[in-house]
Amino acid sequence: MNASKLKIYQFPCRQDNYGVILHDPQSGTTISIDAPETEAVGDVLESKGLKLTHILTTHHHGDHVEGNEALKSEYGCTIIGPAEEAAKIPGLDQSYGHGDTFDIAGHRIEVIGTPGHTLGQIAYYLPDQGVVFCADALFALGCGRIFEGTPEMMFTALERLAALPAETLVYAGHEYTLANAKFALSVDPDNSQLADRAREIEVMRDNGKPTLPTTLELELQTNPFLRADDPAIRKFLGMESHSDLDVFTEIRARKDRF
Ligand code: ZN
Ligand code: FE
């Protein structure tokens, strides 16, 4: 096992996506989490003098796989992605599903199935680094839109992520946090931690700072999509006797209309 710290470079690209590059200085291994934009990923690699060895694809949407083929032909990197949408991932070499583990340069990577946004989306958890890359499943103060799956799938996906250690650093696919904060306050108006965080986020965005990564702990305290069991939210929605899944489904439906 190789427990040495990976360097993590997060950068904005496209409209509101984040790209992330991981680099292991010992082995030279360099991993791109998704490939949202060929040029943006290439620029970061070039500026750091890195040679891309792997792409870890989370799901098939164009804003996550756009760079797969061009980066593969430039660097000859290995592309790893979700087994359940293997046919839709350009350049795929290896695929995995929920519960699988593999390692790259001695770093253990656990695959967490997070369907809902798409049917086969996966997240990558690196226990020795304490980080998870969950793309369009869990966002800071939000969760992905349910395009292909059901609310139940997304609820289960978020439960899986929420079960990781509280201090886990969470990297997500998009900078949606300011809009998510406004929505979160609309269903959890008396949460003072959320109100404080919303103010901080406004300042961060005014200063052009990223609001990601976040931590699971912070999300558990302030993200309404992880708080369907919270008495204040349930009361606010008039759903005290409903199941957590019902409450989650209602919150997701409200966000779609917000
Ligand atoms: Zn997506
Ligand atoms: Fe996306």
Side-chain angles (χ1 to χ4, degrees):
M1 283 309 274
N2 177 356
S4 68
K5 267 274 172 233
L6 293 172
K7 292 203 149 71
I8 303 184
Y9 306 106
Q10 178 186 258
F11 52 95
C13 56
R14 303 183 75 98
Q15 189 95 326
D16 47 35
N17 281 76
Y18 280 118
V20 178
I21 288 172
L22 310 180
H23 177 64
D24 178 11
Q26 268 179 20
S27 62
T29 302
T30 302
I31 303 167
S32 182
I33 305 299
D34 284 329
E37 189 177 21
T38 308
E39 227 175 85
V41 176
D43 285 351
V44 173
L45 292 169
E46 228 169 276
S47 73
K48 313 265 177 216
L50 305 178
K51 183 183 175 303
L52 189 64
T53 56
H54 300 80
I55 296 173
L56 300 184
T57 301
T58 59
H59 67 296
H60 70 82
H61 284 160
D63 63 312
H64 298 259
V65 301
E66 193 260 350
N68 277 25
E69 274 165 342
L71 290 164
K72 187 173 181 173
S73 68
E74 187 171 350
Y75 293 97
C77 56
T78 299
I79 301 183
I80 294 168
E84 283 179 54
E85 39 196 67
K88 296 178 173 175
I89 310 296
L92 190 71
D93 294 298
Q94 295 168 23
S95 63
Y96 296 101
H98 179 65
D100 288 342
T101 63
F102 58 99
D103 61 73
I104 297 180
H107 293 285
R108 182 183 167 87
I109 300 177
E110 299 181 6
V111 176
I112 301 171
T114 56
H117 178 70
T118 63
L119 285 175
Q121 183 172 236
I122 55 176
Y124 298 95
Y125 173 55
L126 279 65
D128 69 15
Q129 307 293 310
V131 299
V132 67
F133 301 96
C134 59
D136 297 358
L138 177 63
F139 292 123
L141 291 178
C143 80
R145 236 175 214 274
I146 300 170
F147 285 121
E148 296 178 6
T150 62
E152 189 165 10
M153 283 180 190
M154 182 62 93
F155 181 72
T156 301
L158 297 180
E159 277 190 318
R160 288 172 177 169
L161 293 169
L164 295 173
E167 64 275 15
T168 303
L169 271 183
V170 177
Y171 286 81
H174 294 268
E175 179 60 64
Y176 290 156
T177 317
L178 191 57
N180 286 346
K182 292 190 175 125
F183 171 73
L185 283 166
S186 80
V187 291
D188 195 9
D190 298 323
N191 182 339
S192 63
Q193 258 181 299
L194 171 60
D196 291 347
R197 188 177 179 197
R199 278 190 292 272
E200 284 165 23
I201 284 160
E202 218 163 311
V203 174
M204 289 166 95
R205 295 310 295 152
D206 281 348
N207 293 313
K209 292 206 179 106
T211 62
L212 288 154
T214 175
T215 65
L216 199 53
E217 184 173 31
L218 190 53
E219 296 311 312
L220 289 167
Q221 292 160 348
T222 54
N223 184 331
F225 296 98
L226 299 183
R227 294 167 51 74
D229 62 347
D230 180 73
I233 292 181
R234 300 171 72 89
K235 184 157 186 241
F236 179 83
L237 295 174
M239 296 183 76
E240 285 129 305
S241 58
H242 285 69
S243 67
D244 291 353
L245 173 60
D246 283 349
V247 174
F248 169 79
T249 302
E250 172 62 19
I251 295 171
R252 187 57 256 179
R254 286 182 180 229
K255 176 69 165 69
D256 290 342
R257 297 191 300 262
F258 191 70

